[in-house]
Amino acid sequence: MASGLPKLDVEGLTSFIDEEKINELLSKKSNDKVHVREIIAKSLAKNRLNPDEMSVLLNVDDPQLVEEIKEGARELKRTIYGNRIVLFAPLYIGNDCINDCVYCGFRKSNLDVVRRTLTINELEKEVRTLESRGHKRLILVYGEHPRYDADFIYDTVRKVYETKEGKGEIRRVNINAAPFDIEGFRKIKSAGIGTFQVFQETYHQKTYTAMHPSGLKSNYLWRLFAFDRAMEAGIDDVGMGALIGLYDHKFEAMAMLYHTIHLEEKFGVGPHTISFPRIEPAIGTSFADCPPHQTSDADFMKMIAVIRLSVPYTGMILTAREPIALRNEAISYGISQIDAGSDIGVGAYGKEDEVESAKKSQFVLNDNRSLDSVIGELCEHGFLPSFCTGCYRLGRTGEHFMEFAIPGFVKRFCTPNALLTLTEYLIDYASPEVKAKGIARIKEELANIPDTNPLKIELITKLSRIEKGERDLFF
Ligand code: SAM
Ligand code: SF4
């Protein structure tokens, strides 16, 4: 049903996460250089790794070999995806929640958090603010509550697309919300969403049960099969994730590979993106101050590189939960999307005071740079910020997979579209310093395209049309 809470039906489902097998694989340790290098080479030849291969990489602890794994991830990113980084912002719609996830500031029993759901007018104000800063891609975030049913999500998505501020508009809306039944997913898809994200949080069943003591989310299998229902409803862009800190990070990485393989085998397509948020402090939530499986920066970075190599075709997201220096380093291991200028208080963009906003936030962010300064830094470091939504708008779903699988796709579509959307940003929103850095970056990128390439002429024509005032041109 599209209205109200879904009826949980998990009859006949059994978990495809083979915990015993994962534990067995992770119990074997080897720093066999030859084998590790063979596995890296398999990934660089554009093959998804198998669980036994991923476990070998996760268990490497010889510093030189760890460096080779990271270098492998860097090379994969460089050669297949290039230097583009897609930018988005989260937009929190409401923090009412019927669940009691022990790590989350929005959980039902947390009396310290101020509950709020945006009205349609407040939503419009938030979107106008984000558009006036230059954002083109949003992820809408919701607690789990009967009021945030599929019809409500549909209405909020449509409102975001309809809202335009000056030359600004939102061109892609992704969702992070509780999982629905097939009918609910169908309704939400019909609003024109991009990716639907559902994080399993932890794939370890016993830990899952302890972390989710009540509410719909306490049902492990209902959540585990969320993407099966989404895909049956026609949503083929799904974003998986594990909340790092609840259980052993290596187990979670392995489980995400099992989840990926399950989707590949059943639907012929893996996840569009993989996320690995680490637990951050949250208001009224002492559990989040000291999670049971805190993962060090070094282990976290190695895990990112290993996931990059293990599922080479998927997009990888790293949010502003992480500090600036770590984000900058992780980008080189294959992160494809980051948020920028984020505020995660409900109603925070429209602006209220910071203390009030924190009381409506789910957790604390560690990267508070504006969108403009993130763009400036990315340009300085030789990256190419992108707001591209070309594939999605032309019905080319699964763009990460196409970038990966189709030779020349990135050069033909992704880089030109990144240049076009960056140019729009520089003209409409950038500060003078960032504009100068961005223009220099664009010149460098153009210089890399041979003058004889017909694409270059087409691209330069489109760039000059943007300079004359046209918007939303893409390949
Ligand atoms: N309520 C929906 C759900 O639980 O799936 C969707 C939104 S929830 C607000 C988004 C994600 O935030 C969760 O899936 C979880 O991984 C993450 N999260 C929750 N508490 C967190 C914390 N203290 N630090 C970092 N991330 C957290
Ligand atoms: Fe609610 Fe989601 Fe937070 Fe759990 S993680 S308490 S479901 S908002």
Side-chain angles (χ1 to χ4, degrees):
M1 46 187 279
S3 299
L5 291 170
K7 194 177 150 292
L8 272 53
D9 179 6
V10 292
E11 221 183 287
L13 300 179
T14 45
S15 175
F16 44 80
I17 305 298
D18 190 340
E19 293 195 6
E20 233 172 87
K21 184 75 189 165
I22 294 177
N23 290 333
E24 185 203 316
L25 289 172
L26 286 177
S27 69
K28 296 181 202 153
K29 209 172 213 165
S30 119
N31 282 300
D32 178 342
K33 283 194 179 62
V34 176
H35 190 35
V36 168
R37 284 172 190 158
E38 275 168 8
I39 295 171
I40 297 172
K42 177 179 171 185
S43 169
L44 291 175
K46 293 181 144 189
N47 299 297
R48 189 213 0 97
L49 300 182
N50 294 320
D52 54 333
E53 294 159 336
M54 184 188 218
S55 71
V56 170
L57 298 189
L58 284 168
N59 271 339
V60 165
D61 56 10
D62 169 351
Q64 193 209 320
L65 273 186
V66 170
E67 197 36 57
E68 286 189 33
I69 290 172
K70 288 183 177 171
E71 186 43 39
R74 282 189 211 104
E75 192 178 333
L76 195 141
K77 155 104 175 136
R78 258 193 319 264
T79 53
I80 299 181
Y81 297 103
N83 55 3
R84 285 162 311 113
I85 297 292
V86 170
L87 295 164
F88 68 94
L91 173 51
Y92 277 65
I93 304 294
N95 63 9
D96 274 320
C97 196
I98 55 156
N99 295 317
D100 228 354
C101 313
V102 299
Y103 45 82
C104 179
F106 291 170
R107 74 190 183 287
K108 187 182 171 185
S109 60
N110 188 3
L111 301 179
D112 293 342
V113 75
V114 176
R115 303 286 166 183
R116 179 153 172 211
T117 300
L118 296 178
T119 63
I120 238 29
N121 287 343
E122 287 167 339
L123 172 59
E124 182 180 329
K125 194 170 164 209
E126 294 284 280
V127 175
R128 284 187 189 283
T129 306
L130 285 160
E131 286 174 350
S132 69
R133 294 177 190 169
H135 282 288
K136 298 283 185 276
R137 303 169 64 111
L138 298 185
I139 181 152
L140 307 190
V141 186
Y142 310 75
E144 179 158 14
H145 194 273
R147 64 194 295 190
Y148 311 141
D149 62 11
D151 291 331
F152 177 84
I153 293 186
Y154 176 95
D155 291 343
T156 48
V157 172
R158 291 312 314 161
K159 182 69 187 173
V160 171
Y161 282 130
E162 281 159 20
T163 302
K164 317 258 179 199
E165 176 68 25
K167 288 188 168 159
E169 60 182 354
I170 299 302
R171 298 175 184 160
R172 177 169 174 136
V173 176
N174 298 330
I175 301 290
N176 185 313
F180 285 83
D181 53 18
I182 295 174
E183 198 187 327
F185 274 129
R186 234 181 243 131
K187 172 83 193 185
I188 294 168
K189 179 184 161 62
S190 73
I193 62 159
T195 309
F196 200 107
Q197 281 187 347
V198 177
F199 300 159
Q200 186 64 22
E201 320 295 12
T202 173
Y203 285 83
H204 186 253
Q205 275 215 47
K206 206 168 141 219
T207 307
Y208 187 93
T209 304
M211 296 299 139
H212 307 100
S214 63
L216 294 187
K217 197 163 165 181
S218 61
N219 193 319
Y220 177 89
L221 287 177
W222 177 253
R223 202 162 174 94
L224 189 65
F225 281 84
F227 296 150
D228 294 58
R229 297 191 299 279
M231 287 193 175
E232 278 165 40
I235 298 176
D236 51 9
D237 274 3
V238 295
M240 73 172 57
L243 185 58
I244 303 301
L246 299 180
Y247 191 62
D248 176 38
H249 69 281
K250 293 184 190 175
F251 180 95
E252 306 295 10
M254 292 285 289
M256 286 197 277
L257 182 60
Y258 272 88
H259 198 170
T260 296
I261 294 169
H262 167 78
L263 295 177
E264 283 178 8
E265 285 175 350
K266 193 162 165 195
F267 300 98
V269 49
H272 185 67
T273 54
I274 296 185
S275 303
F276 16 78
R278 280 198 291 188
I279 297 182
E280 285 301 321
I283 188 166
T285 310
S286 54
F287 176 93
D289 293 335
C290 195
H293 289 267
Q294 230 155 4
T295 304
S296 69
D297 287 354
D299 285 345
F300 187 60
M301 293 302 234
K302 190 180 96 183
M303 183 193 75
I304 293 176
V306 172
I307 294 176
R308 170 69 301 153
L309 290 171
S310 301
V311 194
Y313 61 74
T314 198
M316 288 167 67
I317 301 177
L318 191 67
T319 68
R321 288 174 180 87
E322 298 298 339
I324 299 170
L326 187 138
R327 291 229 285 179
N328 285 344
E329 187 185 337
I331 282 174
S332 65
Y333 304 144
I335 298 297
S336 51
Q337 294 186 31
I338 61 171
D339 56 333
S342 299
D343 208 323
I344 57 172
V346 180
Y349 294 112
K351 217 48 179 179
E352 42 184 292
D353 77 80
E354 273 175 28
V355 178
E356 276 308 302
S357 168
K359 286 189 194 152
K360 292 168 203 155
S361 295
Q362 192 192 9
F363 48 84
V364 177
L365 293 181
N366 283 308
D367 181 351
N368 295 304
R369 289 172 297 170
S370 66
L371 175 62
D372 199 53
S373 60
V374 169
I375 290 185
E377 273 191 49
L378 287 172
C379 289
E380 248 175 83
H381 297 155
F383 290 102
L384 182 56
S386 175
F387 294 96
C388 175
T389 52
C391 286
Y392 161 70
R393 317 278 295 294
L394 290 168
R396 298 191 297 241
T397 54
E399 72 246 31
H400 287 301
F401 187 76
M402 289 191 287
E403 289 168 21
F404 169 80
I406 303 173
F409 190 91
V410 170
K411 281 198 176 126
R412 176 75 189 84
F413 298 104
C414 310
T415 303
N417 286 344
L419 292 168
L420 292 168
T421 52
L422 177 60
T423 301
E424 285 184 342
Y425 176 84
L426 298 178
I427 295 172
D428 293 338
Y429 308 104
S431 61
E433 310 86 80
V434 170
K435 193 169 182 174
K437 287 177 193 167
I439 290 172
R441 205 56 275 290
I442 289 172
K443 281 188 183 151
E444 278 167 18
E445 288 291 331
L446 283 175
N448 289 335
I449 310 175
D451 290 337
T452 48
N453 185 341
L455 173 76
K456 186 163 186 174
I457 298 158
E458 230 184 303
L459 174 58
I460 288 174
T461 310
K462 280 193 164 65
L463 286 170
S464 70
R465 281 169 59 195
I466 288 177
E467 270 161 34
K468 287 185 190 126
E470 278 187 72
R471 291 292 171 268
D472 202 15
L473 304 177
F474 51 89
F475 288 88

